[in-house]
Amino acid sequence: MFRTALRNVLAHKARLLMTVLAVTLGVAFVSGTLVFTDTLSKAMSNQSAKSYEGVAVSVTDYGRARGGDGQKQGDPGIGQQTLDRIKAVKGVDSVSGRVQGFAGVGDQNGKLIGSGWANAGSNFAPVKDGKDPRYTFTEGSGPVQDGQIALDKDSAAKGKYQVGDKVRVATNGPVREFTLTGVFTTEDGAVNAGGSLVLFDTKVAQELYLRPGFYRELSIAAKPGTTPDQLLADVKPLLSESSDAKTGAALAAEQAKDIERAMSGMSTGLLIFAGVSLFVGIFLIYNTFTMLVAQRTKELALLRAIGAHRGQVKRSVLAEAGVVGLVSSVIGLACGIGLAVAMRSAMELFDAKIPAGSLIIAPATVLTALVIGVLVTMLAAWLPARRTAKIAPVAAMGSVHLPATMKSLVLRNITGSVLAVIGVGVVLLGAGQKSEGRTTIAAGAFFLVIGLFVLLPMLSRPVIAAVRPLLEKVFGVSGKLAAQNAVRNPRRTAVTAASLTIGLTLVTAMSVMGITIGQAVDRLSTQNIKADYRVTMAGEGMNLDKSVLPALEKGKGVTAVSPKTMESVRIGADFRTVSGVNPAALDAVLTVKTTAGDLAALGQGKLMVSEKEARKQGLSVGSTVDVRYEDGRQGKLQVGALYEGKDQLEDYVLDNRILAEHNDSQYLPEVFVKTSGGTSAAGQQAVVDALGKNPAIKVSDKAAMRDEMAGMINTSLNIMYGLLGMALIIAVLGVINTLAMSVYERQQEIGMLRAVGLDRGKVKNMIRLEAVVISLFGAVLGIGVGVFLAWAGGRTIAGSVPGYELVIPFDRIGIFFLLAGLVGVLAAMWPARSAARLNMLTAIKTE
């Protein structure tokens, strides 16, 4: 029986090609993901370990000191006295102190080099030989005095800087000009993430980021013969309670675990899409083996008649599937390795530098690829094998096409209906649970989709029957025959359409959700903003220096400037976040609709509260609340106005001058600016000039604000579309496979149609229309289910996205329908051509 299975594989190479392609694509996605993440994880772990070479002990302190030997309470880090005492410890070879912070470097045109969030600054910390062990200088040397800096090699190349050039660098304050003294290479993570690294003299870096005489981190090297653990034990007594000391090896191991966890999240996300592709492939494989065993029913019946029992017949079909799965898995593994190499190259194109390292093909990856490919194929072939083995030999010899019994059809429809109803109910339950209902919706979606798959044969008849009159009217006899052929074998039609249903369900759900969220965010980010420009730091969420406010107010053409600070103030018994604004400019830069009181109350030192919060706290205009500010001082504030809460402001709003009196280091994430000339290139340049052409500060007009938010959503959607594209490719293969098998089975029928006058063109139209009907049937179900799931998912996030209203993108849905129809046309090209070229007499004589 095994030899029979092998002969069958070799005899049906062309028919099994689609199955091989489907399994190959799925396995390639899985193995490529595993190889890529393993390679990236190993390279980053090696990089991390390299950064701790020569570091026996590392000490960090983030200024949480509660007092300790050599360090006073409230110190912002590790003091120079502590460093000197560590230097004197027996076994210490050298100690270098580090401070870190943000530093943005401008190119020759003043534009920021690298990604804002990954632009870092640190200090040059030479040890005994005058070199800093963390950096290797390729040109010049490190900075040793104020006014000097060193740059990483890539940033220097991007800015076209050479040693001796003047470089504009911005930290949290005004931009400054420094002389470039050296260029270095580094394994720093910020640089490898596409950012930049600036090295200052230690004293300058301390003034910029901490306080003179203090460090954030110490790197301690051991003398020969001193172990890291021994040195750690000797150093710990010298540290404050807030300091954290670990060996370099321990820190490298911790970072390796963090990297592994981060890679695990990426791997899981990619594997989900690989799973979708394999799930879609199951339907194609099932269809293939269903048709193959149907064509060999007499052959298998003859084997039964000469002594083969049911189990042998079933195992023969499963062995055939196993061979196909094994071959597909090996090819898929090879393609996956190529995919991993391509993904690595693609990341480098986006300036995300990957640390050097060899390709990691772990034994677990090879085993996973082979097991998944074989199991998926055998699982999909199991039901056709089981069904064939149950057919009695005499009945099988008498009829190649044995219809399903009424009992099996009734049982199938009842089972599908129950699963679909359960799925709908669970989805509706999840939609009513708000943010906690997402897992419930996912579970309901699973039952709903499975139920629809079971019901697809029953659903195909009425749906296709509804379009049959249109097909007949437009395409005549070709349309009529196409509609009849599409429902001739409902199970085959259903399984073929199921592939497209899965892909379009996911694509539609993500599109509806993405566009709905995008429009809600767009309304929040632009419709509520009257200002022409928003000023922020290039690094997301970073704090602007308060010096930007007077600088902007002096800018050419600037008519209104309002900060939006965020301050934690105790109001009543609880701490609340308060927005600090400029009352005189607020109405000019933001849309604020008061429901009681007047905006002028802010200028009188009164509090403005959102209407929702006021109802919750029982406040009204004239109410008085007790407040305690950041510096501990207390007072009372009167509520002067209530307003419709908007995303741009917190529930409590106050004149920023009052908040500034109690906090010298306010958090200032953004400033809104209104100009006399409105939005224009000249107006934007005037704002940039007012800020001293600071490369670390971003000036965005409304279009940029909109693009920033919409761009993130569109990028995410495009990535999703790309990942789901593999599932749609497999769906196309399924349609091709079904039509090819259908043409093969209907050779005699097609020959008769040709003999009675149906020309080749109409035969081609018949096959094409059949493919289009099946594809559109799958599209209708997929898009319908996708919109339903998007609605349910939207209900869970509506509370966290102000202004959320479901938006159905009919333009994209129309495109999805057109693409589904195009899939049918393309998939039918080869089968239609084959059908039209059949010789009439040969086809009529075919059994």
Side-chain angles (χ1 to χ4, degrees):
M1 294 300 291
F2 183 70
R3 286 197 299 271
T4 301
L6 289 178
R7 282 197 297 270
N8 284 327
V9 171
L10 296 174
H12 302 105
K13 294 187 291 291
R15 299 180 201 174
L16 290 168
L17 177 61
M18 301 300 176
T19 294
V20 171
L21 285 174
V23 178
T24 296
L25 287 173
V27 171
F29 208 155
V30 172
S31 56
T33 296
L34 294 175
V35 171
F36 174 70
T37 52
D38 286 347
T39 299
L40 189 58
S41 177
K42 184 65 175 177
M44 293 178 72
S45 295
N46 289 341
Q47 179 193 57
S48 175
K50 188 182 294 184
S51 66
Y52 285 104
E53 285 182 0
V55 179
V57 175
S58 177
V59 182
T60 56
D61 193 309
Y62 290 92
R64 300 180 304 273
R66 293 186 296 273
D69 196 7
Q71 192 168 353
K72 297 178 181 179
Q73 185 173 355
D75 282 347
I78 304 166
Q80 184 66 42
Q81 183 181 357
T82 301
L83 185 147
D84 293 338
R85 295 183 65 177
I86 291 173
K87 274 185 178 180
V89 172
K90 183 181 179 181
V92 170
D93 185 55
S94 63
V95 182
S96 56
R98 309 282 176 185
V99 289
Q100 300 90 25
F102 169 82
V105 183
D107 61 14
Q108 302 285 358
N109 297 319
K111 293 185 178 179
L112 183 69
I113 295 174
S115 305
W117 61 271
N119 291 326
S122 188
N123 62 306
F124 176 64
V127 289
K128 293 180 179 179
D129 56 359
K131 296 180 180 180
D132 190 324
R134 284 197 181 183
Y135 312 106
T136 301
F137 279 81
T138 58
E139 296 178 45
S141 59
V144 292
Q145 64 184 35
D146 193 3
Q148 297 180 342
I149 61 163
L151 271 180
D152 69 274
K153 186 177 180 180
D154 289 337
S155 297
K158 290 177 183 176
K160 299 180 181 179
Y161 289 123
Q162 296 180 346
V163 172
D165 288 347
K166 297 293 184 179
V167 182
R168 292 170 65 81
V169 180
T171 53
N172 278 14
V175 65
R176 288 183 58 190
E177 198 169 66
F178 294 84
T179 300
L180 183 65
T181 62
V183 177
F184 59 88
T185 59
T186 177
E187 297 296 331
D188 189 276
V191 176
N192 285 315
S196 62
L197 180 62
V198 182
L199 295 183
F200 301 94
D201 173 63
T202 295
K203 290 183 178 179
V204 175
Q206 287 174 332
E207 290 175 356
L208 287 172
Y209 300 126
L210 211 58
R211 207 167 78 195
F214 287 91
Y215 303 91
R216 191 65 79 205
E217 177 189 343
L218 300 181
S219 296
I220 306 172
K223 289 181 179 178
T226 303
T227 65
D229 290 331
Q230 179 183 344
L231 192 59
L232 179 64
D234 292 339
V235 166
K236 271 190 172 182
L238 305 177
L239 304 175
S240 71
E241 294 179 6
S242 62
S243 297
D244 186 20
K246 293 180 181 178
T247 63
L251 283 173
E254 282 184 9
Q255 287 198 8
K257 288 182 180 179
D258 292 339
I259 292 168
E260 186 177 342
R261 281 193 291 269
M263 290 297 104
S264 176
M266 178 193 296
S267 177
T268 300
L270 291 173
L271 288 175
I272 288 173
F273 290 97
V276 171
S277 298
L278 287 168
F279 187 57
V280 172
I282 286 176
F283 294 95
L284 189 155
I285 300 164
Y286 169 83
N287 228 6
T288 300
F289 278 91
T290 296
M291 289 183 277
L292 285 176
V293 297
Q295 292 169 6
R296 287 162 36 208
T297 302
K298 287 186 177 181
E299 173 192 331
L300 295 173
L302 182 60
L303 290 172
R304 291 284 309 280
I306 61 175
H309 55 74
R310 289 183 177 181
Q312 287 178 308
V313 171
K314 186 194 298 183
R315 285 195 292 273
S316 172
V317 177
L318 291 177
E320 186 177 344
V323 171
V324 173
L326 183 61
V327 172
S328 305
S329 299
V330 172
I331 299 172
L333 177 61
C335 293
I337 295 171
L339 179 63
V341 173
M343 291 170 70
R344 182 170 178 170
S345 300
M347 287 191 70
E348 291 178 352
L349 289 176
F350 290 99
D351 272 348
K353 290 183 288 183
I354 307 299
S358 57
L359 204 65
I360 305 298
I361 306 173
T365 299
V366 176
L367 182 63
T368 300
L370 296 178
V371 169
I372 285 178
V374 173
L375 282 181
V376 165
T377 311
M378 293 182 70
L379 176 66
W382 178 81
L383 193 58
R386 179 176 177 273
R387 187 184 298 127
T388 301
K390 291 175 68 177
I391 300 174
V394 175
M397 287 181 184
S399 177
V400 174
H401 304 291
L402 296 171
T405 65
M406 181 61 67
K407 179 181 178 182
S408 67
L409 291 175
V410 171
L411 181 61
R412 179 189 183 106
N413 292 338
I414 291 174
T415 303
S417 299
V418 170
L419 288 173
V421 169
I422 290 174
V424 171
V426 174
V427 169
L428 292 175
L429 177 65
Q433 294 177 338
K434 297 185 178 180
S435 60
E436 296 82 15
R438 292 165 197 169
T439 304
T440 306
I441 290 175
F446 175 79
F447 284 107
L448 174 58
V449 170
I450 296 299
L452 284 178
F453 290 161
V454 177
L455 285 173
L456 278 176
M458 182 183 75
L459 294 172
S460 64
R461 289 185 180 274
V463 173
I464 295 175
V467 299
R468 179 175 170 179
L470 178 63
L471 292 174
E472 289 185 30
K473 185 176 181 180
V474 177
F475 300 101
V477 67
S478 296
K480 180 179 180 179
L481 291 172
Q484 290 176 341
N485 291 331
V487 294
R488 175 182 293 183
N489 190 331
R491 286 190 175 184
R492 182 188 300 168
T493 298
V495 173
T496 305
S499 303
L500 278 170
T501 299
I502 296 170
L504 286 174
T505 294
L506 295 172
V507 168
T508 302
M510 288 189 300
S511 296
V512 173
M513 289 282 288
I515 291 171
T516 300
I517 294 172
Q519 291 198 13
V521 170
D522 179 61
R523 287 192 295 270
L524 291 172
S525 61
T526 58
Q527 291 184 8
N528 297 330
I529 298 177
K530 294 181 182 179
D532 296 318
Y533 306 102
R534 182 178 65 184
V535 177
T536 59
M537 289 291 287
E540 186 68 28
M542 291 185 61
N543 189 26
L544 286 162
D545 188 78
K546 59 184 179 181
S547 62
V548 302
L549 295 173
L552 286 169
E553 289 171 350
K554 297 175 183 176
K556 182 181 178 181
V558 173
T559 58
V561 175
S562 177
K564 195 191 86 171
T565 61
M566 296 175 66
E567 198 85 42
S568 180
V569 177
R570 186 164 185 165
I571 298 177
D574 301 310
F575 282 95
R576 306 289 183 185
T577 301
V578 178
S579 292
V581 298
N582 178 4
L586 182 61
D587 189 49
V589 298
L590 293 177
T591 300
V592 181
K593 185 177 180 181
T594 57
T595 57
D598 193 272
L599 278 179
L602 279 173
Q604 300 165 8
K606 296 180 181 179
L607 189 66
M608 185 168 71
V609 185
S610 70
E611 191 175 27
K612 181 180 177 181
E613 179 69 10
R615 285 197 303 268
K616 185 178 177 181
Q617 302 297 331
L619 299 175
S620 60
V621 173
S623 298
T624 301
V625 294
D626 294 323
V627 296
R628 181 174 179 176
Y629 297 100
E630 185 77 16
D631 59 1
R633 285 190 282 174
Q634 299 181 10
K636 290 182 180 292
L637 286 174
Q638 187 179 36
V639 176
L642 303 182
Y643 79 107
E644 290 183 357
K646 299 293 183 182
D647 188 59
Q648 296 297 338
L649 297 172
E650 301 296 330
D651 286 326
Y652 295 88
V653 184
L654 192 61
D655 187 337
N656 191 57
R657 289 176 299 179
I658 297 174
L659 294 173
E661 291 175 1
H662 302 279
N663 188 359
D664 291 332
S665 55
Q666 287 185 296
Y667 176 50
L668 176 58
E670 56 190 338
V671 177
F672 295 102
V673 181
K674 187 75 173 176
T675 58
S676 57
T679 303
S680 66
Q684 187 167 3
Q685 187 60 48
V687 175
V688 172
D689 292 343
L691 294 167
K693 296 182 180 179
N694 191 324
I697 296 180
K698 182 168 62 174
V699 179
S700 307
D701 59 15
K702 284 190 177 183
M705 294 180 227
R706 184 182 295 110
D707 292 342
E708 184 179 339
M709 300 305 299
M712 293 169 58
I713 295 171
N714 289 333
T715 299
S716 300
L717 282 176
N718 290 335
I719 292 172
M720 298 295 184
Y721 291 158
L723 293 172
L724 287 171
M726 191 169 293
L728 294 176
I729 290 172
I730 296 174
V732 172
L733 296 177
V735 178
I736 296 173
N737 197 37
T738 295
L739 293 174
M741 292 297 184
S742 179
V743 169
Y744 178 83
E745 289 178 357
R746 289 154 41 201
Q747 287 187 63
Q748 189 178 58
E749 175 189 321
I750 293 171
M752 290 293 293
L753 290 170
R754 291 290 314 284
V756 297
L758 196 69
D759 60 33
R760 289 185 175 182
K762 289 183 178 178
V763 169
K764 287 183 178 180
N765 280 342
M766 177 183 71
I767 302 299
R768 291 193 195 104
L769 289 171
E770 183 179 347
V772 171
V773 166
I774 293 173
S775 298
L776 291 179
F777 170 58
V780 167
L781 291 177
I783 290 172
V785 174
V787 170
F788 173 63
L789 294 178
W791 167 82
R795 299 283 295 176
T796 66
I797 65 172
S800 57
V801 180
Y804 182 95
E805 294 178 5
L806 183 68
V807 177
I808 299 178
F810 291 103
D811 53 344
R812 292 205 186 189
I813 288 177
I815 291 173
F816 296 158
F817 272 118
L818 289 176
L819 288 176
L822 182 62
V823 164
V825 172
L826 294 176
M829 289 179 64
W830 173 55
R833 184 170 177 270
S834 300
R837 294 179 64 184
L838 286 175
N839 183 281
M840 284 184 283
L841 295 178
T842 304
I844 291 171
K845 292 188 293 182
T846 301
E847 293 187 5

